[in-house]
Amino acid sequence: MPPSSLDIPAYLSILPLFHEMRPAELERIAASAVLKRCERGDEIFHVGQVCDGFHVVMSGQVKLYALAPTGHEKVIELISPGNTFAEALMFTGKPYIVNAQSLTESLILTVRKQAVMDEIERDPRFALRMLAGISRRLHGLVQDVESSALHSGIQRVIGYLLRDQSLEDVGPGQMATVSLPVSKATIASLLSLTPEYFSRVLRELEDGGLIAIDRRDIRILDVQGLSRYHLQ
């Protein structure tokens, strides 16, 4: 579907941040927003660039990452459709402190800071909803830091494979399939692992009869067994 044919107010209305807003409010937000189609590898923003709004991934996949002076890349977060990013930084008045890149063909909606401030003045409850969203992201990032600091590499990999809440209902001996949304190297960076170590852990789990690998599809042969292995 071409960007010009998208009903942006209707799309915004289903997002947690906007779903309590009235149609007129959604129309104002949408009128100020900019929709951009990005190809794989396109830069969305970079460190030092002025942050004058936040972004919504309408389709595709975006990575937030930092670059060391050596050129080594560290993936900070992967943003999937329906999720927002950069809203906290928008309020600081400071430039971006990380880079953002589209990992696939993506549609990115940028909501301007001034439009957000105008809506907060009209209805302070909008600020509370934004604060709730920022808090959820901060909580997720703290959990990621804790995982990297306190868990072994193999625990991090298994934790990533079991992160889907729907797997909690899978019974003893039942299988499930996890499709990696991005390359193994990107996920390895997200987990603070080298690509070689990440691949080695997957091979170990496959040799142990816990998973079966078919490119980016990983079939978990025994979800509860893999969970128990996670605790070893």
Side-chain angles (χ1 to χ4, degrees):
M1 182 182 294
S4 59
S5 65
L6 290 173
D7 187 341
I8 294 177
Y11 179 85
L12 292 176
S13 70
I14 66 176
L15 300 180
L17 179 60
F18 300 101
H19 76 265
E20 294 180 9
M21 296 185 73
R22 294 182 290 273
E25 295 170 327
L26 291 170
E27 289 287 350
R28 288 195 295 269
I29 291 287
S32 74
V34 176
L35 186 61
K36 180 181 179 181
R37 182 182 295 279
C38 298
E39 300 298 327
R40 178 180 179 181
D42 282 357
E43 181 184 81
I44 299 169
F45 57 73
H46 57 80
V47 172
Q49 184 178 337
V50 175
C51 178
D52 62 352
F54 72 95
H55 313 275
V56 184
V57 179
M58 299 185 70
S59 66
Q61 192 90 20
V62 171
K63 71 174 177 182
L64 305 183
Y65 68 99
L67 285 176
T70 59
H72 176 72
E73 178 182 295
K74 165 58 182 167
V75 177
I76 306 298
E77 191 175 4
L78 298 176
I79 314 295
S80 55
N83 289 297
T84 60
F85 58 104
E87 56 267 58
L89 190 63
M90 175 185 69
F91 288 110
T92 69
K94 296 181 179 180
Y96 291 111
I97 56 175
V98 296
N99 307 287
Q101 183 184 51
S102 177
L103 292 175
T104 63
E105 183 178 300
S106 305
L107 276 179
I108 309 298
L109 184 72
T110 298
V111 178
R112 297 300 186 191
K113 177 180 178 179
Q114 189 57 54
V116 173
M117 301 306 292
D118 290 345
E119 293 308 320
I120 289 175
E121 287 185 11
R122 291 187 180 96
D123 184 357
R125 291 175 300 175
F126 185 62
L128 294 177
R129 292 198 294 275
M130 292 211 72
L131 183 59
I134 293 169
S135 298
R136 284 193 297 271
R137 168 160 290 112
L138 178 60
H139 180 67
L141 291 174
V142 168
Q143 286 183 316
D144 290 343
V145 171
E146 288 180 342
S147 176
S148 295
L150 302 177
H151 295 162
S152 68
I154 194 166
Q155 287 176 324
R156 276 176 261 164
V157 173
I158 294 175
Y160 178 84
L161 296 177
L162 296 175
R163 74 197 186 287
D164 192 332
Q165 294 296 318
S166 65
L167 297 182
E168 295 180 356
D169 299 325
V170 177
Q174 289 186 314
M175 298 185 296
T177 298
V178 174
S179 295
L180 303 182
V182 292
S183 70
K184 292 176 183 177
T186 299
I187 294 174
S189 178
L190 179 67
L191 300 177
S192 298
L193 304 171
T194 65
E196 295 78 15
Y197 183 83
F198 181 72
S199 295
R200 189 162 65 248
V201 169
L202 292 181
R203 286 196 301 271
E204 177 182 333
L205 297 175
E206 188 171 38
D207 292 343
L210 292 168
I211 65 173
I213 303 171
D214 181 12
R215 297 186 180 182
R216 287 191 181 180
D217 289 334
I218 297 179
R219 192 154 40 95
I220 303 175
L221 303 178
D222 183 352
V223 173
Q224 293 193 359
L226 185 62
S227 182
R228 288 193 298 271
Y229 196 92
H230 182 204
L231 298 176
Q232 293 179 7

